[in-house]
Amino acid sequence: MRWVWIALGAVFLAYPWVLAGPFYERMGALVLLAAISGSAWNLLGGYAGQASVGHAIFYGAGAYLPLLVFTQWGLPPIAGLPAGIAVSVLIALVIGIPTFRLLGHYFTMATVAVAELVRLVVSNWDLLGAAVGLSGPAVSRGWWDLSFRSSIPYYYIFLAVLAVVLLVTWQMERSRMGFYLRAIKAGDRAARSLGVPVRRYKLYALMLSAAFTSVAGSLYALMVGFVDPDSGLGILISIEMLIIAALGGAGTLFGPLLGAVILIPLQNATNSWFGGSGSGATYVIYGGIIMLIARYQPGGLMNAWHALQERRHRRAAAVEPRHAA
Amino acid sequence: MLLEARQVTKSFGAFTAVADVDLGVAAGEMIGLIGPNGAGKSTFFNCLTGDYAPSAGTIRFDDHDVTNAPPERHARLGIGRTYQVPATFEDMTVLENVMVGAFLRHPHRGEARDAALAVIELTEMTEQRHLRARTLGTPGRKRLEIARAMATQPRLLLLDEALAGLTPAEIQRAMDLVRKIHATGVTLVIVEHIMEVILTLAERIVVFNQGKVIAQGKPDDVVRNEQVIEAYLGRRKAHRR
């Protein structure tokens, strides 16, 4: 495990030197940002198997609050980051407490409904810039505004945050919580019979996931310096997190990172091929990826890799005599 | 009494699956619940585990009222269970499955792992500990369910048809395991509809038919009971005797 961390760290630290230039630097930052939000989604949707299609709410809360504290009180946007986390966790509780009482797909459906509701409310809320949105400082007033022309500072900030998210996920995966979430995903009735307080653990996962998603939203707002209902709360944002995690491997540590490394450059390429009309192509690509994953590899790429390795191990083990179960 | 069910009734709409059932289980006993298909034994069993809330009646375990308590509280108090159709965590290994149970009493990973390995040893699954549950056959998965439940350190273990679907040789192995667990001091309640098996295993038999307890007692007495023979084998067979 350790060498995986070291190798990944080295690759991502070196990337801006290997592929220099504003285009690659910005794309690198966007990949890392998508990996952060995908990994955040993964905590709940991947490990606990509670697929949310409304994580844009938390992303949006994270994106809006930094720009709100700037437009309202002239504070540096970063000051809004903790507030975004607080608001996200609060919303997570409001959604999670009633819906986790229900089994099955109610949670997923509730997240879609609440996310669209929030988008509509924000689109008409003058304090949050309504349909026009909010902007950050046009000219940086100092380093504390975290407003840079180059993408490189953002790249390294995002890399540090991603490292924290992955380390927390890794620790969680190995702890009681990780085992409990996987058990809940595999069958919550059996999990309860073993003493797992299912609802409480789903709620923990949702809160943690919401908090990290909110951080991703804040980082986005810091880099772009602008947010409107579509870029902060659109349903595509939720779907993108889901696809990135599912493509790379939901419920695996590095799955979302892998998904982001594939999806974001692909998205960039289609946007440049199709130009201004490219936003429609994004939906087509997402749809295609969902179909491919569902048909061929529901576990995503990481799980395909694990399955392949397992088959090799089993073939090697088959040579030895086997005992009846 | 370790477990005491009083006048437990469970209805689904107009259908009463279990009616006014009383059952007391003393610590250290090994009890068999038998009855033909649809007799209500599984429904009653699920009331005991907290999976169903009884429509009426009370259930007490070790001086706690657990009538309407959720399954996780049952587990915490010391009631373990298995499922008729094994509900193992398919993508997790044998060891990981058992660790989920062990985490109930051992919050830390290392301790949970040690406790799980001890249970795996007891249930003779050491060689399979790194296999995923989905790769095990039915006997293996039933054994894994018992191991997983044992990892929660139950005082009472409820087995729901742990022997159904096994070959005679596998049944023998499973019965050895059940005896071994009983010898460690765990009280057992076993639901089974293969009568031959349960009669040799249990010390006391409780017979269900049409939602009611129609007989209970020592295995030898129960098999001679006219009502039991009739319920189990049909009227004709009962008359022929």
Side-chain angles (χ1 to χ4, degrees):
Chain A
M1 200 61 191
R2 184 172 296 163
W3 67 266
V4 179
W5 283 100
I6 294 170
L8 277 175
V11 166
F12 281 99
L13 281 171
Y15 169 87
W17 278 290
V18 179
L19 282 174
F23 175 79
Y24 288 113
E25 286 156 6
R26 188 178 161 81
M27 183 142 86
L30 290 175
V31 165
L32 293 176
L33 187 64
I36 295 170
S37 57
S39 299
W41 184 93
N42 192 35
L43 286 168
L44 179 73
Y47 286 96
Q50 307 297 308
S52 156
V53 193
H55 260 48
I57 309 168
F58 312 127
Y59 193 84
Y64 268 95
L65 272 146
L67 300 181
L68 183 68
V69 300
F70 169 74
T71 50
Q72 287 296 307
W73 303 293
L75 294 171
I78 189 79
L81 186 140
I85 294 176
V87 169
S88 293
V89 170
L90 205 69
I91 297 173
L93 287 171
V94 170
I95 297 175
I97 288 174
T99 54
F100 283 152
R101 284 175 184 278
L102 307 164
L103 292 174
H105 301 298
Y106 290 101
F107 172 72
T108 303
M109 290 179 340
T111 56
V112 181
V114 176
E116 281 302 280
L117 193 72
V118 167
R119 191 178 61 84
L120 286 172
V121 168
V122 171
S123 300
N124 293 289
W125 194 349
D126 287 331
L127 178 72
L128 298 176
V132 180
L134 295 176
S135 297
V139 182
S140 177
R141 299 167 299 175
W143 64 267
W144 57 87
D145 270 344
L146 296 180
S147 170
F148 311 105
R149 280 227 193 104
S150 157
S151 296
I152 290 185
Y154 296 113
Y155 179 91
Y156 284 107
I157 293 172
F158 296 179
L159 187 60
V161 172
L162 177 64
V164 170
V165 173
L166 290 179
L167 275 169
V168 169
T169 307
W170 185 46
Q171 281 308 311
M172 185 215 74
E173 191 182 86
R174 294 157 42 85
S175 74
R176 170 155 78 174
M177 180 161 170
F179 279 77
Y180 275 9
L181 294 184
R182 287 166 68 201
I184 289 167
K185 181 185 187 176
D188 53 6
R189 200 173 156 212
R192 292 180 77 182
S193 81
L194 298 172
V196 178
V198 168
R199 231 158 54 207
R200 183 143 49 94
Y201 272 85
K202 282 183 186 172
L203 213 53
Y204 289 163
L206 173 61
M207 286 159 68
L208 190 62
S209 175
F212 281 138
T213 307
S214 175
V215 171
S218 296
L219 296 178
Y220 169 81
L222 283 176
M223 180 166 91
V224 176
F226 168 76
V227 65
D228 67 2
D230 267 348
S231 63
L233 290 161
I235 192 162
L236 264 189
I237 293 168
S238 305
I239 292 176
E240 188 182 291
M241 288 180 221
L242 184 158
I243 289 185
I244 281 172
L247 175 65
T252 63
L253 179 58
F254 293 116
L257 176 58
L258 179 64
V261 166
I262 295 170
L263 193 77
I264 300 302
L266 186 71
Q267 209 182 67
N268 248 295
T270 55
N271 284 349
S272 59
W273 287 336
F274 294 101
S277 60
S279 57
T282 309
Y283 284 100
V284 175
I285 288 179
Y286 285 0
I289 291 175
I290 289 175
M291 288 201 302
L292 285 175
I293 296 172
R295 172 66 184 81
Y296 293 105
Q297 195 42 256
L301 295 169
M302 286 302 275
N303 283 315
W305 169 248
H306 290 316
L308 206 71
Q309 279 190 319
E310 210 166 276
R311 202 175 308 163
R312 266 181 28 211
H313 282 307
R314 227 177 306 152
R315 206 168 291 164
V319 182
E320 300 162 27
R322 289 179 66 181
H323 294 257
Chain B
M1 283 289 148
L2 183 62
L3 179 80
E4 193 153 32
R6 277 208 188 134
Q7 293 180 315
V8 170
T9 297
K10 177 66 186 174
S11 314
F12 299 97
F15 174 68
T16 304
V18 172
D20 276 340
V21 170
D22 291 303
L23 177 73
V25 181
E29 269 193 295
M30 172 144 46
I31 292 184
L33 301 186
I34 65 168
N37 281 329
K41 56 192 190 303
S42 274
T43 303
F44 178 66
F45 183 94
N46 280 315
C47 290
L48 298 182
T49 60
D51 284 64
Y52 294 158
S55 313
T58 56
I59 301 171
R60 296 184 67 80
F61 176 75
D62 192 25
D63 281 334
H64 297 277
D65 183 0
V66 294
T67 314
N68 292 305
E72 56 267 34
R73 184 165 147 78
H74 284 72
R76 232 173 301 136
L77 289 173
I79 301 180
R81 73 161 295 174
T82 64
Y83 290 87
Q84 208 167 347
V85 178
T88 44
F89 305 130
E90 304 290 56
D91 281 332
M92 298 168 83
T93 64
V94 166
L95 176 60
E96 288 171 337
N97 266 273
V98 179
M99 278 176 76
V100 173
F103 271 120
L104 181 64
R105 314 275 177 215
H106 308 278
H108 296 291
R109 180 191 160 83
E111 291 163 21
R113 193 184 147 89
D114 292 344
L117 285 171
V119 172
I120 287 172
E121 177 89 48
L122 175 84
T123 53
E124 295 163 28
M125 297 198 81
T126 307
E127 281 180 32
Q128 292 115 307
R129 66 189 185 281
H130 294 307
L131 292 180
R132 289 191 192 226
R134 68 162 74 257
T135 65
L136 303 175
T138 303
R141 290 161 84 223
K142 293 206 162 189
R143 187 164 280 257
L144 174 54
E145 278 216 321
I146 294 174
R148 204 173 59 174
M150 281 300 288
T152 64
Q153 297 174 7
R155 296 167 59 200
L156 171 67
L157 182 61
L158 301 152
L159 302 177
D160 194 357
E161 307 218 343
L163 309 173
L166 304 188
T167 65
E170 290 158 359
I171 287 179
Q172 199 52 53
R173 246 195 111 204
M175 282 169 69
D176 290 344
L177 175 62
V178 170
R179 289 207 180 92
K180 202 157 131 188
I181 287 171
H182 187 231
T184 66
V186 176
T187 307
L188 283 155
V189 173
I190 306 168
V191 167
E192 200 48 77
H193 74 258
I194 316 174
M195 216 169 184
E196 300 85 327
V197 172
I198 201 69
L199 292 180
T200 61
L201 202 55
E203 300 156 343
R204 182 153 68 97
I205 303 283
V206 178
V207 189
F208 275 73
N209 192 33
Q210 296 181 341
K212 293 198 162 122
V213 173
I214 56 166
Q216 57 175 310
K218 290 204 168 111
D220 288 348
D221 302 335
V222 165
V223 285
R224 285 193 211 100
N225 185 308
E226 280 290 312
Q227 262 185 303
V228 174
I229 297 166
E230 187 179 320
Y232 236 88
L233 306 170
R235 193 156 290 172
R236 218 181 50 188
K237 190 102 175 187
H239 283 304
R240 222 194 298 168
R241 285 176 68 119

